[in-house]
Coordinates of all heavy atoms in Angstrom, one line a residue:
M1 N 6.2 13.5 9.6 CA 5.1 13.7 8.8 C 4.9 12.4 7.9 O 5.9 11.9 7.3 CB 5.3 14.9 7.8 CG 4.1 15.2 7.0 SD 4.2 16.8 6.2 CE 5.6 16.7 5.2
K2 N 3.7 11.8 7.9 CA 3.5 10.6 7.1 C 2.0 10.5 6.9 O 1.2 11.0 7.6 CB 4.0 9.4 7.8 CG 3.3 8.9 9.1 CD 3.8 7.6 9.6 CE 3.0 7.1 10.7 NZ 3.4 5.8 11.1
L3 N 1.7 9.8 5.8 CA 0.3 9.5 5.5 C -0.3 8.5 6.5 O 0.3 7.5 6.9 CB 0.2 8.8 4.1 CG -1.2 8.5 3.6 CD1 -2.0 9.7 3.3 CD2 -1.0 7.7 2.3
V4 N -1.5 8.9 7.0 CA -2.2 8.0 8.0 C -3.6 7.7 7.5 O -4.1 8.4 6.6 CB -2.2 8.7 9.4 CG1 -0.8 8.8 10.0 CG2 -3.0 10.0 9.4
R5 N -4.2 6.8 8.1 CA -5.6 6.4 7.8 C -6.5 7.6 8.1 O -6.3 8.4 8.9 CB -6.1 5.2 8.6 CG -5.4 3.9 8.1 CD -5.9 2.7 8.9 NE -5.3 1.5 8.5 CZ -5.9 0.7 7.6 NH1 -7.1 1.0 7.1 NH2 -5.3 -0.4 7.2
D6 N -7.6 7.7 7.3 CA -8.5 8.9 7.3 C -9.1 9.2 8.7 O -9.3 10.4 8.9 CB -9.7 8.6 6.3 CG -9.2 8.5 4.9 OD1 -8.1 8.9 4.6 OD2 -10.0 8.0 4.1
K7 N -9.3 8.3 9.5 CA -10.0 8.5 10.8 C -9.0 8.8 11.9 O -9.4 9.1 13.1 CB -10.9 7.4 11.2 CG -12.0 7.2 10.3 CD -12.9 6.1 10.7 CE -14.1 5.9 9.8 NZ -15.0 4.8 10.2
I8 N -7.7 8.8 11.7 CA -6.7 9.0 12.7 C -6.8 10.4 13.4 O -6.7 10.5 14.6 CB -5.2 8.8 12.2 CG1 -5.1 7.3 11.8 CG2 -4.2 9.2 13.2 CD1 -5.3 6.3 12.9
P9 N -7.0 11.5 12.6 CA -7.2 12.8 13.3 C -8.3 12.8 14.3 O -8.2 13.3 15.4 CB -7.4 13.8 12.2 CG -6.7 13.2 11.0 CD -6.9 11.7 11.2
Q10 N -9.4 12.2 14.0 CA -10.6 12.1 14.9 C -10.3 11.3 16.1 O -10.6 11.6 17.2 CB -11.8 11.6 14.2 CG -13.1 11.6 15.0 CD -13.4 13.0 15.5 OE1 -13.3 14.0 14.8 NE2 -13.9 13.1 16.8
I11 N -9.6 10.2 15.9 CA -9.2 9.3 17.0 C -8.2 10.1 18.0 O -8.4 10.0 19.2 CB -8.5 8.0 16.5 CG1 -9.5 7.2 15.8 CG2 -7.8 7.3 17.6 CD1 -9.0 6.0 15.0
I12 N -7.3 10.9 17.4 CA -6.4 11.7 18.3 C -7.2 12.7 19.1 O -7.0 12.9 20.3 CB -5.4 12.4 17.4 CG1 -4.4 11.3 16.8 CG2 -4.6 13.4 18.2 CD1 -3.5 11.8 15.7
I13 N -8.2 13.4 18.4 CA -9.0 14.4 19.1 C -9.8 13.7 20.2 O -9.9 14.3 21.3 CB -10.0 15.1 18.1 CG1 -9.2 16.0 17.1 CG2 -11.1 15.8 18.8 CD1 -10.0 16.4 15.9
E14 N -10.4 12.6 20.0 CA -11.1 11.8 21.0 C -10.3 11.4 22.2 O -10.8 11.2 23.3 CB -11.8 10.6 20.4 CG -13.0 11.0 19.5 CD -13.5 9.9 18.6 OE1 -13.0 8.7 18.8 OE2 -14.4 10.1 17.8
D15 N -9.0 11.3 21.9 CA -8.0 11.0 23.0 C -7.6 12.2 23.8 O -6.7 12.2 24.7 CB -6.8 10.3 22.3 CG -5.9 9.7 23.3 OD1 -6.4 9.0 24.3 OD2 -4.6 9.8 23.2
G16 N -8.1 13.4 23.4 CA -7.9 14.6 24.1 C -6.6 15.4 23.6 O -6.1 16.3 24.3
R17 N -6.1 15.0 22.5 CA -4.9 15.6 21.9 C -5.3 16.4 20.7 O -6.4 16.3 20.2 CB -3.9 14.6 21.6 CG -3.4 13.8 22.9 CD -2.4 12.7 22.6 NE -3.0 11.7 21.9 CZ -2.3 10.8 21.0 NH1 -1.0 11.0 20.9 NH2 -2.9 9.9 20.4
T18 N -4.4 17.2 20.2 CA -4.7 18.0 19.0 C -3.8 17.6 17.8 O -2.6 17.7 17.9 CB -4.4 19.5 19.3 OG1 -5.2 19.9 20.4 CG2 -4.7 20.4 18.1
P19 N -4.4 17.0 16.8 CA -3.6 16.7 15.6 C -3.3 17.9 14.7 O -4.2 18.7 14.5 CB -4.5 15.7 14.9 CG -5.9 16.1 15.2 CD -5.8 16.7 16.6
I20 N -2.1 18.0 14.3 CA -1.7 19.0 13.3 C -1.5 18.3 12.0 O -0.6 17.4 11.9 CB -0.4 19.8 13.7 CG1 -0.5 20.3 15.1 CG2 -0.1 20.8 12.7 CD1 -1.7 21.3 15.4
Y21 N -2.4 18.5 11.0 CA -2.3 17.8 9.7 C -2.9 18.6 8.6 O -3.4 19.7 8.8 CB -3.2 16.5 9.8 CG -4.6 16.7 10.0 CD1 -5.5 16.6 8.9 CD2 -5.2 17.0 11.2 CE1 -6.8 16.9 9.0 CE2 -6.6 17.2 11.3 CZ -7.4 17.1 10.2 OH -8.7 17.3 10.3
H22 N -2.7 18.1 7.4 CA -3.3 18.8 6.2 C -3.7 17.7 5.3 O -3.3 16.5 5.4 CB -2.3 19.7 5.5 CG -1.1 19.0 4.8 ND1 0.0 18.7 5.5 CD2 -0.9 18.6 3.6 CE1 0.9 18.1 4.7 NE2 0.3 18.0 3.5
V23 N -4.6 18.0 4.3 CA -5.0 17.1 3.3 C -4.1 17.2 2.1 O -4.0 18.4 1.6 CB -6.5 17.3 3.0 CG1 -6.9 16.3 1.9 CG2 -7.4 17.1 4.2
A24 N -3.5 16.2 1.7 CA -2.5 16.2 0.6 C -3.2 16.5 -0.7 O -4.4 16.1 -1.0 CB -1.8 14.9 0.5
G25 N -2.5 17.2 -1.6 CA -2.9 17.3 -3.0 C -2.6 16.0 -3.7 O -2.0 15.1 -3.2
V26 N -3.0 15.9 -5.0 CA -2.9 14.7 -5.7 C -1.5 14.2 -5.8 O -1.1 13.1 -5.5 CB -3.6 14.8 -7.1 CG1 -3.3 13.5 -7.9 CG2 -5.1 15.1 -7.0
A27 N -0.6 15.1 -6.2 CA 0.9 14.7 -6.3 C 1.5 14.2 -5.0 O 2.1 13.2 -5.0 CB 1.7 15.9 -6.9
E28 N 1.2 15.0 -3.9 CA 1.7 14.6 -2.6 C 1.1 13.3 -2.2 O 1.8 12.4 -1.6 CB 1.5 15.7 -1.6 CG 2.0 15.3 -0.2 CD 1.7 16.4 0.8 OE1 0.7 17.2 0.7 OE2 2.4 16.4 1.8
H29 N -0.2 13.1 -2.4 CA -0.9 11.9 -2.0 C -0.3 10.7 -2.7 O -0.1 9.7 -2.1 CB -2.4 12.1 -2.3 CG -3.3 11.0 -1.7 ND1 -4.6 11.0 -2.0 CD2 -3.0 10.0 -0.8 CE1 -5.1 10.0 -1.3 NE2 -4.2 9.4 -0.6
K30 N -0.1 10.8 -4.0 CA 0.5 9.7 -4.8 C 1.9 9.3 -4.2 O 2.2 8.2 -4.0 CB 0.7 10.0 -6.3 CG -0.6 10.0 -7.0 CD -0.4 10.4 -8.5 CE -1.7 10.3 -9.2 NZ -1.5 10.7 -10.7
R31 N 2.7 10.4 -4.0 CA 4.1 10.1 -3.4 C 4.0 9.5 -2.1 O 4.7 8.5 -1.8 CB 4.8 11.5 -3.3 CG 6.2 11.3 -2.8 CD 7.0 12.7 -2.6 NE 6.4 13.4 -1.5 CZ 5.8 14.6 -1.6 NH1 5.7 15.2 -2.8 NH2 5.3 15.2 -0.6
E32 N 3.1 9.9 -1.2 CA 3.0 9.4 0.1 C 2.4 8.0 0.1 O 2.7 7.2 1.0 CB 2.2 10.3 1.0 CG 3.0 11.6 1.3 CD 4.4 11.4 1.9 OE1 4.5 10.6 2.8 OE2 5.3 12.1 1.4
L33 N 1.5 7.7 -0.8 CA 1.0 6.3 -1.0 C 2.1 5.3 -1.3 O 2.2 4.2 -0.8 CB -0.1 6.2 -2.0 CG -1.5 6.6 -1.4 CD1 -2.5 6.8 -2.5 CD2 -2.0 5.6 -0.4
F34 N 3.0 5.7 -2.2 CA 4.2 4.9 -2.6 C 5.0 4.7 -1.3 O 5.4 3.5 -1.0 CB 5.1 5.5 -3.7 CG 4.5 5.2 -5.0 CD1 4.0 6.2 -5.8 CD2 4.6 4.0 -5.6 CE1 3.5 6.0 -7.1 CE2 4.2 3.7 -6.9 CZ 3.6 4.7 -7.6
N35 N 5.3 5.7 -0.5 CA 6.0 5.6 0.7 C 5.3 4.7 1.7 O 5.9 3.9 2.4 CB 6.3 7.0 1.4 CG 7.2 7.8 0.6 OD1 8.0 7.3 -0.2 ND2 7.1 9.1 0.7
K36 N 3.9 4.8 1.8 CA 3.2 4.0 2.7 C 3.2 2.5 2.3 O 3.3 1.6 3.2 CB 1.7 4.5 2.7 CG 0.8 3.7 3.7 CD 1.3 3.7 5.1 CE 1.1 5.1 5.8 NZ 1.4 5.0 7.2
V37 N 3.2 2.2 1.0 CA 3.3 0.8 0.6 C 4.7 0.2 1.0 O 4.7 -0.9 1.6 CB 3.1 0.7 -0.9 CG1 3.5 -0.7 -1.4 CG2 1.7 1.0 -1.3
V38 N 5.7 1.0 0.9 CA 7.1 0.5 1.3 C 7.1 0.3 2.8 O 7.5 -0.7 3.3 CB 8.2 1.5 0.9 CG1 9.5 1.2 1.5 CG2 8.3 1.6 -0.6
E39 N 6.5 1.3 3.6 CA 6.4 1.2 5.0 C 5.7 -0.1 5.5 O 6.1 -0.8 6.3 CB 5.8 2.4 5.6 CG 5.5 2.4 7.1 CD 4.6 3.5 7.6 OE1 4.6 4.6 7.0 OE2 3.9 3.3 8.6
E40 N 4.5 -0.3 4.9 CA 3.7 -1.4 5.2 C 4.3 -2.7 4.8 O 4.2 -3.7 5.5 CB 2.3 -1.3 4.6 CG 1.5 -0.1 5.2 CD 1.2 -0.1 6.7 OE1 1.4 -1.1 7.3 OE2 0.8 1.0 7.2
L41 N 5.0 -2.7 3.7 CA 5.7 -3.9 3.3 C 6.8 -4.3 4.3 O 7.0 -5.5 4.7 CB 6.3 -3.7 1.9 CG 7.1 -4.9 1.3 CD1 6.3 -6.2 1.2 CD2 7.7 -4.5 0.0
E42 N 7.5 -3.3 4.8 CA 8.6 -3.6 5.8 C 8.0 -4.1 7.1 O 8.5 -5.0 7.7 CB 9.4 -2.3 6.0 CG 10.3 -1.9 4.9 CD 11.3 -3.0 4.5 OE1 11.9 -3.7 5.5 OE2 11.6 -3.3 3.3
E43 N 6.8 -3.5 7.4 CA 6.1 -4.0 8.7 C 5.7 -5.4 8.5 O 5.8 -6.2 9.4 CB 5.0 -3.1 9.0 CG 5.5 -1.7 9.5 CD 4.4 -0.7 9.9 OE1 3.2 -1.1 9.9 OE2 4.7 0.4 10.1
F44 N 5.2 -5.8 7.3 CA 4.7 -7.1 7.0 C 5.9 -8.1 7.0 O 5.8 -9.2 7.5 CB 4.0 -7.2 5.7 CG 3.4 -8.6 5.4 CD1 2.4 -9.1 6.1 CD2 4.0 -9.3 4.4 CE1 1.9 -10.4 5.9 CE2 3.5 -10.6 4.1 CZ 2.5 -11.1 4.8
R45 N 7.1 -7.6 6.5 CA 8.3 -8.4 6.5 C 8.7 -8.8 7.9 O 9.1 -9.9 8.2 CB 9.4 -7.7 5.7 CG 10.7 -8.6 5.6 CD 11.9 -7.8 5.1 NE 11.6 -6.9 4.0 CZ 12.1 -7.0 2.8 NH1 12.9 -8.0 2.5 NH2 11.8 -6.1 1.9
A46 N 8.6 -7.8 8.8 CA 9.0 -8.0 10.2 C 8.0 -8.8 10.9 O 8.4 -9.6 11.9 CB 9.2 -6.6 10.9
D47 N 6.7 -8.7 10.6 CA 5.7 -9.4 11.3 C 4.6 -9.9 10.3 O 3.6 -9.1 10.1 CB 5.0 -8.5 12.3 CG 3.9 -9.1 13.1 OD1 3.7 -10.4 13.1 OD2 3.1 -8.4 13.7
P48 N 4.8 -11.0 9.6 CA 3.8 -11.4 8.6 C 2.5 -11.9 9.2 O 2.2 -13.1 9.1 CB 4.6 -12.5 7.8 CG 5.6 -13.0 8.8 CD 5.9 -11.9 9.7
S49 N 1.8 -11.0 9.7 CA 0.5 -11.3 10.4 C -0.7 -10.8 9.6 O -0.5 -10.1 8.6 CB 0.5 -10.6 11.8 OG 0.5 -9.2 11.6
L50 N -1.8 -11.2 10.0 CA -3.1 -10.8 9.3 C -3.3 -9.3 9.3 O -3.6 -8.7 8.3 CB -4.3 -11.5 10.0 CG -5.6 -11.4 9.4 CD1 -5.6 -12.0 8.0 CD2 -6.7 -12.1 10.2
V51 N -3.0 -8.7 10.5 CA -3.2 -7.2 10.6 C -2.2 -6.5 9.6 O -2.6 -5.5 8.9 CB -3.0 -6.8 12.0 CG1 -2.9 -5.3 12.1 CG2 -4.1 -7.3 12.9
E52 N -0.9 -6.9 9.6 CA 0.1 -6.3 8.8 C -0.3 -6.5 7.3 O -0.1 -5.6 6.4 CB 1.5 -6.7 9.1 CG 1.9 -6.3 10.5 CD 1.9 -4.8 10.8 OE1 1.9 -4.0 9.8 OE2 1.9 -4.4 12.0
A53 N -0.8 -7.7 7.0 CA -1.2 -8.0 5.6 C -2.3 -7.1 5.2 O -2.3 -6.5 4.1 CB -1.6 -9.5 5.4
A54 N -3.3 -6.9 6.1 CA -4.4 -6.0 5.8 C -4.0 -4.6 5.5 O -4.4 -3.9 4.6 CB -5.4 -6.1 6.9
D55 N -3.0 -4.1 6.3 CA -2.5 -2.7 6.2 C -1.8 -2.6 4.8 O -2.0 -1.6 4.1 CB -1.5 -2.4 7.3 CG -2.2 -2.1 8.6 OD1 -3.4 -1.9 8.6 OD2 -1.4 -2.1 9.6
L56 N -1.0 -3.6 4.4 CA -0.3 -3.6 3.1 C -1.3 -3.6 2.0 O -1.2 -2.8 1.1 CB 0.6 -4.8 3.0 CG 1.4 -5.0 1.7 CD1 2.2 -3.7 1.4 CD2 2.2 -6.2 1.8
V57 N -2.3 -4.4 2.1 CA -3.3 -4.5 1.0 C -4.1 -3.2 0.9 O -4.3 -2.7 -0.2 CB -4.3 -5.7 1.2 CG1 -5.5 -5.6 0.3 CG2 -3.5 -7.0 1.0
E58 N -4.5 -2.6 2.0 CA -5.2 -1.3 2.0 C -4.3 -0.2 1.3 O -4.8 0.6 0.5 CB -5.5 -0.8 3.4 CG -6.2 0.5 3.5 CD -7.6 0.5 2.8 OE1 -8.3 -0.5 2.7 OE2 -8.0 1.6 2.4
A59 N -3.0 -0.2 1.6 CA -2.1 0.8 1.0 C -2.0 0.6 -0.5 O -2.1 1.5 -1.3 CB -0.8 0.8 1.6
V60 N -1.9 -0.7 -0.9 CA -1.8 -1.0 -2.4 C -3.1 -0.7 -3.1 O -3.1 0.0 -4.1 CB -1.5 -2.5 -2.6 CG1 -1.6 -2.9 -4.0 CG2 0.0 -2.7 -2.1
F61 N -4.3 -1.0 -2.5 CA -5.6 -0.7 -3.1 C -5.7 0.9 -3.2 O -6.2 1.3 -4.3 CB -6.7 -1.2 -2.2 CG -7.0 -2.6 -2.3 CD1 -8.0 -3.2 -1.5 CD2 -6.4 -3.4 -3.2 CE1 -8.3 -4.6 -1.6 CE2 -6.7 -4.8 -3.4 CZ -7.6 -5.3 -2.6
S62 N -5.3 1.6 -2.2 CA -5.4 3.1 -2.3 C -4.5 3.6 -3.4 O -4.9 4.5 -4.2 CB -5.1 3.7 -1.0 OG -6.0 3.4 0.0
L63 N -3.3 3.0 -3.6 CA -2.4 3.5 -4.6 C -3.0 3.2 -6.0 O -2.9 4.0 -6.9 CB -1.0 2.7 -4.4 CG 0.1 3.2 -5.3 CD1 0.4 4.6 -5.2 CD2 1.3 2.3 -5.0
I64 N -3.6 2.0 -6.1 CA -4.2 1.6 -7.4 C -5.3 2.6 -7.7 O -5.4 3.1 -8.9 CB -4.7 0.2 -7.3 CG1 -3.5 -0.8 -7.4 CG2 -5.7 -0.1 -8.5 CD1 -3.8 -2.2 -7.0
E65 N -6.2 2.9 -6.7 CA -7.3 3.8 -7.0 C -6.9 5.2 -7.3 O -7.5 5.8 -8.2 CB -8.2 3.9 -5.7 CG -9.0 2.7 -5.5 CD -9.9 2.8 -4.2 OE1 -9.8 3.8 -3.5 OE2 -10.7 1.9 -4.0
I66 N -5.8 5.8 -6.7 CA -5.4 7.1 -7.0 C -4.9 7.3 -8.4 O -4.8 8.3 -9.0 CB -4.5 7.7 -5.9 CG1 -4.5 9.2 -6.0 CG2 -3.1 7.2 -6.1 CD1 -3.9 9.9 -4.8
H67 N -4.4 6.1 -9.0 CA -4.0 6.1 -10.3 C -5.1 5.8 -11.3 O -4.9 5.5 -12.5 CB -2.8 5.2 -10.5 CG -1.5 5.7 -10.0 ND1 -1.1 5.6 -8.7 CD2 -0.6 6.5 -10.6 CE1 0.0 6.2 -8.5 NE2 0.4 6.8 -9.6
K68 N -6.3 5.9 -10.8 CA -7.5 5.7 -11.6 C -7.6 4.4 -12.3 O -8.1 4.2 -13.4 CB -7.7 6.9 -12.6 CG -7.8 8.2 -11.9 CD -8.2 9.3 -12.8 CE -8.3 10.7 -12.2 NZ -8.4 10.9 -10.8
L69 N -7.1 3.3 -11.6 CA -7.2 2.0 -12.1 C -8.3 1.3 -11.3 O -8.6 1.6 -10.1 CB -5.9 1.2 -11.9 CG -4.7 1.9 -12.7 CD1 -3.4 1.2 -12.3 CD2 -4.9 1.8 -14.2
K70 N -9.0 0.3 -11.9 CA -10.0 -0.4 -11.3 C -9.5 -1.8 -10.8 O -8.8 -2.5 -11.6 CB -11.2 -0.6 -12.2 CG -11.8 0.7 -12.7 CD -12.5 1.4 -11.6 CE -13.2 2.7 -12.1 NZ -13.3 3.7 -11.1
M71 N -9.8 -2.2 -9.6 CA -9.4 -3.5 -9.1 C -9.8 -4.6 -10.0 O -9.0 -5.6 -10.2 CB -9.8 -3.7 -7.7 CG -9.0 -3.0 -6.6 SD -7.2 -3.3 -6.8 CE -7.1 -5.1 -6.6
A72 N -11.0 -4.6 -10.6 CA -11.4 -5.7 -11.5 C -10.5 -5.8 -12.7 O -10.1 -6.9 -13.1 CB -12.8 -5.5 -11.9
S73 N -10.1 -4.6 -13.2 CA -9.2 -4.6 -14.3 C -7.8 -5.1 -14.0 O -7.1 -5.8 -14.7 CB -9.1 -3.2 -14.9 OG -10.3 -2.8 -15.4
V74 N -7.3 -4.7 -12.8 CA -6.0 -5.1 -12.3 C -6.0 -6.7 -12.1 O -5.1 -7.4 -12.5 CB -5.7 -4.4 -11.0 CG1 -4.4 -5.0 -10.3 CG2 -5.4 -2.9 -11.2
A75 N -7.1 -7.2 -11.5 CA -7.2 -8.6 -11.3 C -7.3 -9.4 -12.7 O -6.6 -10.4 -12.8 CB -8.5 -8.9 -10.5
K76 N -8.0 -8.8 -13.6 CA -8.1 -9.4 -14.9 C -6.7 -9.5 -15.6 O -6.3 -10.5 -16.2 CB -9.1 -8.7 -15.8 CG -9.3 -9.3 -17.2 CD -10.4 -8.5 -17.9 CE -10.6 -9.1 -19.3 NZ -11.6 -8.4 -20.1
A77 N -6.0 -8.4 -15.5 CA -4.6 -8.3 -16.1 C -3.7 -9.3 -15.4 O -2.9 -9.9 -16.0 CB -4.1 -6.9 -16.0
G78 N -3.8 -9.4 -14.1 CA -3.0 -10.3 -13.3 C -3.3 -11.8 -13.7 O -2.4 -12.6 -13.9
L79 N -4.6 -12.1 -13.9 CA -4.9 -13.5 -14.3 C -4.4 -13.8 -15.7 O -3.8 -14.9 -16.0 CB -6.4 -13.7 -14.3 CG -7.1 -13.8 -12.9 CD1 -8.6 -13.8 -13.1 CD2 -6.6 -15.0 -12.2
A80 N -4.5 -12.8 -16.6 CA -3.9 -13.0 -18.0 C -2.4 -13.2 -17.9 O -1.9 -14.1 -18.6 CB -4.3 -11.8 -18.9
K81 N -1.7 -12.4 -17.1 CA -0.3 -12.5 -17.0 C 0.1 -13.9 -16.4 O 1.1 -14.5 -16.8 CB 0.3 -11.4 -16.3 CG 1.8 -11.3 -16.3 CD 2.3 -9.9 -16.1 CE 3.8 -9.9 -16.4 NZ 4.4 -8.5 -16.3
A82 N -0.7 -14.3 -15.4 CA -0.4 -15.6 -14.8 C -0.6 -16.7 -15.8 O 0.2 -17.7 -15.7 CB -1.3 -15.8 -13.6
Q83 N -1.5 -16.6 -16.7 CA -1.7 -17.6 -17.7 C -0.6 -17.7 -18.7 O -0.2 -18.8 -19.1 CB -3.0 -17.5 -18.4 CG -4.2 -17.8 -17.5 CD -5.5 -18.0 -18.3 OE1 -5.6 -17.8 -19.5 NE2 -6.5 -18.6 -17.6
T84 N 0.0 -16.5 -19.0 CA 1.1 -16.5 -20.0 C 2.5 -16.7 -19.4 O 3.3 -17.4 -20.0 CB 1.1 -15.2 -20.8 OG1 1.3 -14.1 -20.0 CG2 -0.2 -15.1 -21.6
A85 N 2.7 -16.2 -18.2 CA 4.0 -16.2 -17.6 C 4.1 -16.9 -16.3 O 5.1 -17.2 -15.7 CB 4.6 -14.8 -17.4
G86 N 2.9 -17.3 -15.7 CA 2.8 -18.0 -14.4 C 2.8 -17.0 -13.3 O 2.8 -15.8 -13.5
G87 N 2.8 -17.5 -12.1 CA 2.8 -16.7 -10.9 C 4.1 -16.7 -10.2 O 5.1 -17.0 -10.9
F88 N 4.1 -16.5 -8.9 CA 5.4 -16.5 -8.1 C 5.4 -17.6 -7.1 O 6.3 -17.7 -6.2 CB 5.6 -15.1 -7.5 CG 5.8 -14.0 -8.5 CD1 4.7 -13.1 -8.7 CD2 7.0 -13.8 -9.2 CE1 4.9 -12.1 -9.6 CE2 7.1 -12.8 -10.1 CZ 6.1 -11.9 -10.3
G89 N 4.4 -18.5 -7.1 CA 4.2 -19.4 -6.1 C 5.2 -20.5 -5.9 O 5.4 -21.1 -4.9
R90 N 5.9 -20.9 -7.0 CA 6.8 -22.0 -7.0 C 8.2 -21.5 -6.5 O 9.0 -22.4 -6.2 CB 7.0 -22.6 -8.3 CG 5.7 -23.4 -8.7 CD 5.7 -24.1 -10.0 NE 7.0 -24.9 -10.2 CZ 7.5 -25.1 -11.4 NH1 7.0 -24.7 -12.5 NH2 8.6 -25.8 -11.5
G91 N 8.5 -20.3 -6.4 CA 9.7 -19.8 -5.9 C 10.9 -19.9 -6.9 O 12.1 -20.1 -6.4
I92 N 10.7 -19.8 -8.1 CA 11.7 -20.0 -9.1 C 12.6 -18.7 -9.1 O 12.2 -17.6 -9.3 CB 11.2 -20.2 -10.5 CG1 10.4 -21.5 -10.5 CG2 12.2 -20.2 -11.6 CD1 9.6 -21.8 -11.8
I93 N 13.9 -19.0 -8.9 CA 14.9 -17.9 -8.9 C 15.8 -18.0 -10.2 O 16.5 -19.0 -10.4 CB 15.9 -18.0 -7.7 CG1 15.1 -18.1 -6.4 CG2 16.9 -16.8 -7.7 CD1 14.2 -16.9 -6.1
L94 N 15.7 -17.0 -11.1 CA 16.5 -17.0 -12.3 C 17.9 -16.6 -12.0 O 18.1 -15.4 -11.5 CB 15.8 -16.2 -13.4 CG 16.5 -16.1 -14.7 CD1 16.4 -17.5 -15.4 CD2 15.9 -15.1 -15.6
E95 N 18.9 -17.4 -12.2 CA 20.2 -17.0 -11.9 C 20.9 -16.3 -13.1 O 21.7 -15.4 -12.9 CB 21.0 -18.3 -11.5 CG 20.5 -18.9 -10.3 CD 21.2 -20.2 -9.9 OE1 22.3 -20.5 -10.5 OE2 20.6 -21.0 -9.1
R96 N 20.6 -16.7 -14.3 CA 21.1 -16.0 -15.5 C 20.5 -16.6 -16.7 O 19.9 -17.7 -16.6 CB 22.7 -16.1 -15.5 CG 23.2 -17.5 -15.8 CD 24.8 -17.4 -15.8 NE 25.3 -18.8 -15.8 CZ 25.5 -19.5 -14.7 NH1 25.3 -19.0 -13.5 NH2 26.0 -20.7 -14.8
V97 N 20.7 -16.0 -17.8 CA 20.3 -16.5 -19.1 C 21.5 -16.5 -20.0 O 22.2 -15.5 -20.1 CB 19.2 -15.6 -19.7 CG1 18.8 -16.1 -21.1 CG2 18.0 -15.6 -18.8
E98 N 21.8 -17.6 -20.6 CA 23.0 -17.8 -21.5 C 22.6 -17.9 -23.0 O 21.5 -18.3 -23.3 CB 23.8 -19.0 -21.1 CG 24.4 -18.7 -19.7 CD 25.2 -19.9 -19.2 OE1 25.1 -21.1 -19.8 OE2 25.9 -19.8 -18.2

């Protein structure tokens, strides 16, 4: 049992098979979106391709939406944090603080 894209049951039906599924409640949906982000991240780690990146981004966007956050607000907060603390582009690894 796992969260799948919305049109997957219809695709299975069109393939002549019968999908057994249910529509998750909010709590289950949130939990499964977290699991889906981890799954898609692992797939992207194994194959850092355009398709896997798109799957990862879709899962993250859905997770953000279900928590009633707006992408514009998330982007704005990210830009503000990047200005104060920077991004992750340079690959700085903090070994310790003395």
Side-chain angles (χ1 to χ4, degrees):
M1 185 167 60
K2 70 176 186 174
L3 181 66
V4 296
R5 289 179 177 267
D6 297 341
K7 293 182 180 180
I8 295 301
Q10 184 60 38
I11 291 169
I12 292 169
I13 291 167
E14 289 169 1
D15 192 41
R17 299 178 293 154
T18 303
I20 308 301
Y21 67 97
H22 69 276
V23 177
V26 175
E28 182 183 22
H29 193 185
K30 286 179 180 180
R31 183 184 69 243
E32 292 304 315
L33 277 168
F34 277 109
N35 291 337
K36 181 58 71 172
V37 168
V38 171
E39 174 190 333
E40 297 300 345
L41 180 59
E42 289 300 320
E43 290 178 7
F44 182 70
R45 183 189 318 242
D47 177 20
S49 65
L50 190 59
V51 170
E52 295 302 340
D55 287 346
L56 176 58
V57 168
E58 178 64 29
V60 170
F61 281 176
S62 294
L63 186 60
I64 288 167
E65 283 182 357
I66 202 166
H67 282 91
K68 301 194 181 337
L69 301 172
K70 301 290 182 207
M71 278 309 301
S73 299
V74 172
K76 185 177 178 181
L79 288 172
K81 191 154 190 178
Q83 288 198 349
T84 60
F88 298 103
R90 292 183 45 210
I92 295 173
I93 308 297
L94 182 65
E95 296 176 20
R96 69 180 167 274
V97 176
E98 297 177 343

